Amino acid sequence: MNIMKTSLKFLFVSVLAVYTMSCEEQYPPTNLANNHIIPKPASVVATHGTFVLDKDAVIFYDSGNEDLKKNAGYLAGLLRPSTGFVIETKATSQNPGDGIYLTTGADKDSLLGEGGYELVISEKQVKISSPHPDGVFYGIQTVRQLLPADIESKDDTTREKWFLPTGRIRDWPEYQHRGAMLDVSRHFFGVETVKRFIDYLALYKFNVLHLHLSDDQGWRIEIESWPNLARHGGSTEVGGGEGGYYTKDDYKEIVEYAADHHITVIPEIDMPGHTNAALASYPELNCDGKARELYTGTKVGFSTLCTDKEIVYEFVDDVVREISELTPGPWFHIGGDESHSTDHDDYVRFVNRAREIVNSYGKKVIGWDEIAHADVNSEDVVQFWARENNALQGVKKGARVIMSPSSHAYMDIKYDSTTVLGLTWAGLTEVDDAYNWDPVALVDGIEKIDIIGVEAPLWTETIESLDDIEYMTFPRLPGYAEIGWTATENRFWEDYKVRLGKQKERFETMDVNYYKSPLVPWQDEEDIFIDEQKEGEVK
Ligand code: ACM
């Protein structure tokens, strides 16, 4: 009897679900204002109609614009697996009036800036315009999030029609630098894993991937003039695993994949501390001329390059030159943190010379907040992670700041005391703590104008796999995206947590291993549509 009842109930729920998903009046909601886009757009106006995407869709782009052509190909590729549609992309010299239309022919619009976009959805057309292809790419991510979660499916869903609510979104980023850092030194992650990480960044409109390429436990990039760095220094990792490193071709592949997703790679070679892997690979980098043993533990602060030796600066020069040649972005990160075994004056001298070397290869310097002790200037960026005084000193010398407060923005810090992965030295960072901070309110004396943006680092002492990366990253990552993109006055945890909860099915369709924080009202899409329909009935 009970089995009968359960089966009937199951049948009823299934029929309701199929009905809800297939009936055009109910799915989708036609109210663009009911979106759950992360990061939250600057302005949304709903016009309560529906655009239908089907197999006859065409993606148009401005003729002669190679970047938009790429964006069009990216969008067609994004839609291909789950829709099964082979969507044509076509150059056009004027607004075609229908289809999906990507254009940089927007009126010059000071609000949008380079990263902003306008998305106008009518019953006939989806038009994404921006002064710059970056903005068009962000508009594409917004369209992606307006479609149901199974747009992320790797398999053909056999759904014949996909719907978008009509209206207008005008949207632009609060900060120009919106990044995440992946430590590939403590544990090494191959090219495919890094690409997956880039996919996640792109979905939330990040534009920077900072790769922490060297540390005590491993050197992770081939340097032709110092081959033992990767060969020996990259041969292990925390816990004694086999480690690994990127060949130059691997690194180029990452940089190109990132660029295709409108993301700039910032390479970091951490120095003069955090250098045991290099010190183990070349004895001449040590003051005593003796190579160190490889290190597979997790202590910090015990290693230093010998700052008195000229050969050390030849090493730095070769490394910066070879990596800069492969890096189209403007930045080179010199680390500089926790050099506890370097005498203060030696540290300052070293950082000053490293800065000159980086500049000589046409790159600008970023370093952790300790580099503010050296002669930083308005060309340099100090990445605040620990000491407010350092960041403030950097600003007083003219440098600008990236905000990565370890108390909020470190994705390797445990969510709560039961989290198995991660560390606790910076406290615990639940999803609300990760979201509830304002870059401008962190350090007295540092103003908005001093801050280029925010970055969320993922250190990997305890992180060994893509599953681990995902678990610590999701669901904090979308929150960091919103801090970087959305103006503080438009951000509220109570509103954000609802939008985050509605990402549940997207995470699950993408096969993302995420932390189901009890603070977030996780919600299936079917329930969302039913709720929104009820809301519609009441109105
Ligand atoms: C750092 O967390 N040592 C920058």
Side-chain angles (χ1 to χ4, degrees):
M1 190 58 193
N2 266 347
I3 293 178
M4 265 297 270
K5 253 193 189 163
T6 312
S7 309
L8 274 174
K9 189 172 164 206
F10 178 73
L11 185 69
F12 175 75
V13 170
S14 307
V15 167
L16 179 69
V18 169
Y19 175 77
T20 308
M21 296 303 283
S22 63
C23 179
E24 285 184 25
E25 283 79 39
Q26 297 188 33
Y27 166 73
T30 51
N31 188 353
L32 183 65
N34 273 348
N35 72 75
H36 43 273
I37 298 163
I38 297 177
K40 187 182 178 111
S43 88
V44 178
V45 177
T47 50
H48 303 281
T50 303
F51 174 87
V52 181
L53 178 76
D54 62 20
K55 66 175 179 23
D56 299 324
V58 177
I59 302 171
F60 297 95
Y61 59 91
D62 294 341
S63 50
N65 190 324
E66 282 305 305
D67 290 326
L68 286 188
K69 184 177 180 182
K70 272 195 184 166
N71 278 345
Y74 166 85
L75 177 56
L78 194 71
L79 299 174
R80 173 87 176 88
S82 55
T83 62
F85 306 157
V86 184
I87 298 178
E88 193 186 350
T89 62
K90 243 189 199 170
T92 180
S93 52
Q94 59 184 36
N95 187 343
D98 59 9
I100 299 173
Y101 175 38
L102 313 181
T103 178
T104 49
D107 297 337
K108 285 281 168 268
D109 188 326
S110 57
L111 262 187
L112 295 185
E114 293 220 329
Y117 66 91
E118 181 176 72
L119 167 64
V120 180
I121 307 174
S122 68
E123 270 141 32
K124 291 190 69 178
Q125 187 180 55
V126 174
K127 179 177 170 213
I128 306 174
S129 51
S130 166
H132 194 272
D134 287 347
V136 172
F137 187 80
Y138 303 140
I140 288 172
Q141 302 308 324
T142 294
V143 168
R144 180 179 178 186
Q145 288 198 34
L146 286 170
L147 288 164
D150 57 4
I151 198 68
E152 307 294 345
S153 173
K154 299 275 173 294
D155 305 314
D156 187 342
T157 56
T158 72
R159 190 194 285 239
E160 289 178 1
K161 290 183 174 173
W162 300 72
F163 306 98
L164 289 166
T166 61
R168 173 193 299 246
I169 293 180
R170 285 171 56 76
D171 194 15
W172 55 88
E174 187 71 358
Y175 291 101
Q176 75 187 67
H177 182 115
R178 304 175 305 281
M181 188 207 82
L182 184 62
D183 169 10
V184 295
S185 178
R186 270 48 177 274
H187 283 97
F188 180 67
F189 302 97
V191 173
E192 288 311 309
T193 301
V194 178
K195 284 184 177 176
R196 197 79 203 265
F197 194 67
I198 290 170
D199 290 340
Y200 299 148
L201 298 185
L203 171 59
Y204 295 108
K205 304 186 176 91
F206 284 91
N207 64 353
V208 169
L209 170 66
H210 165 183
L211 284 176
H212 184 75
L213 290 166
S214 71
D215 211 301
D216 291 320
Q217 297 85 349
W219 185 282
R220 304 302 181 201
I221 184 163
E222 176 186 10
I223 302 294
E224 279 166 41
S225 51
W226 297 72
N228 224 25
L229 288 169
R231 201 186 297 143
H232 184 64
S235 65
T236 191
E237 61 186 3
V238 167
E242 70 181 18
Y245 64 90
Y246 306 121
T247 63
K248 289 200 159 177
D249 282 345
D250 289 340
Y251 180 75
K252 274 192 234 163
E253 192 177 333
I254 291 170
V255 166
E256 274 171 29
Y257 189 83
D260 287 345
H261 292 75
H262 295 255
I263 288 171
T264 301
V265 170
I266 298 179
E268 178 186 351
I269 296 297
D270 203 348
M271 47 196 173
H274 287 278
T275 40
N276 190 76
L279 300 171
S281 305
Y282 286 96
E284 58 269 44
L285 301 178
N286 297 275
C287 285
D288 63 8
K290 292 190 186 133
R292 297 296 181 260
E293 293 294 312
L294 290 171
Y295 181 68
T296 61
T298 59
K299 290 203 177 82
V300 298
F302 61 87
S303 56
T304 183
L305 295 169
C306 187
T307 56
D308 292 337
K309 283 186 163 177
E310 252 343 272
I311 185 83
V312 163
Y313 298 98
E314 287 167 26
F315 156 82
V316 173
D317 194 283
D318 287 334
V319 168
V320 171
R321 174 177 48 77
E322 289 198 29
I323 296 176
S324 295
E325 279 168 5
L326 306 176
T327 305
W331 303 107
F332 195 102
H333 199 305
I334 59 170
D337 57 321
E338 298 176 309
S339 279
H340 303 321
S341 304
T342 321
D343 172 83
H344 177 81
D345 292 345
D346 292 345
Y347 175 86
V348 169
R349 222 164 12 88
F350 177 87
V351 170
N352 284 341
R353 282 194 69 177
R355 287 177 57 254
E356 280 169 20
I357 292 168
V358 167
N359 292 157
S360 78
Y361 291 108
K363 301 295 181 195
K364 293 186 183 183
V365 168
I366 305 179
W368 298 106
D369 61 49
E370 289 94 326
I371 70 158
H373 293 291
D375 299 335
V376 296
N377 64 30
S378 60
E379 292 292 292
D380 303 325
V381 167
V382 168
Q383 186 164 8
F384 170 65
W385 69 282
R387 299 236 187 276
E388 293 176 19
N389 263 345
N390 286 345
L392 193 56
Q393 198 181 343
V395 165
K396 285 186 177 152
K397 291 178 178 176
R400 288 172 304 154
V401 182
I402 295 169
M403 290 299 186
S404 300
S406 49
S407 53
H408 295 281
Y410 271 30
M411 296 191 287
D412 58 307
I413 294 298
K414 288 179 189 286
Y415 293 100
D416 68 15
S417 60
T418 68
T419 311
V420 175
L421 298 169
L423 304 173
T424 55
W425 63 265
L428 297 169
T429 304
E430 245 298 355
V431 183
D432 58 343
D433 300 318
Y435 181 79
N436 276 326
W437 58 280
D438 175 3
V440 176
L442 287 174
V443 182
D444 262 358
I446 297 189
E447 316 280 334
K448 176 93 191 293
I449 195 169
D450 305 315
I451 301 171
I452 66 166
V454 300
E455 217 179 274
L458 180 65
W459 301 99
T460 59
E461 285 92 338
T462 67
I463 308 299
E464 298 182 26
S465 63
L466 178 60
D467 259 9
D468 292 353
I469 290 176
E470 289 175 349
Y471 189 79
M472 298 310 277
T473 304
F474 285 93
R476 289 184 281 207
L477 189 76
Y480 299 127
E482 187 149 306
I483 293 168
W485 182 279
T486 306
T488 306
E489 60 269 23
N490 289 337
R491 295 201 291 111
F492 307 96
W493 166 251
E494 290 301 321
D495 158 67
Y496 172 72
K497 75 176 182 189
V498 175
R499 281 181 289 121
L500 183 60
K502 290 175 178 176
Q503 305 269 319
K504 172 178 186 282
E505 238 172 284
R506 196 165 297 264
F507 294 165
E508 289 171 5
T509 309
M510 293 192 304
D511 207 16
V512 165
N513 179 33
Y514 68 103
Y515 162 58
K516 294 170 191 63
S517 167
L519 303 184
V520 179
W522 300 109
Q523 205 180 3
D524 283 324
E525 264 186 4
E526 276 165 25
D527 301 336
I528 299 170
F529 296 136
I530 291 168
D531 281 359
E532 284 175 3
Q533 166 137 30
K534 277 194 209 136
E535 239 175 76
E537 281 164 4
V538 172
K539 273 174 198 159

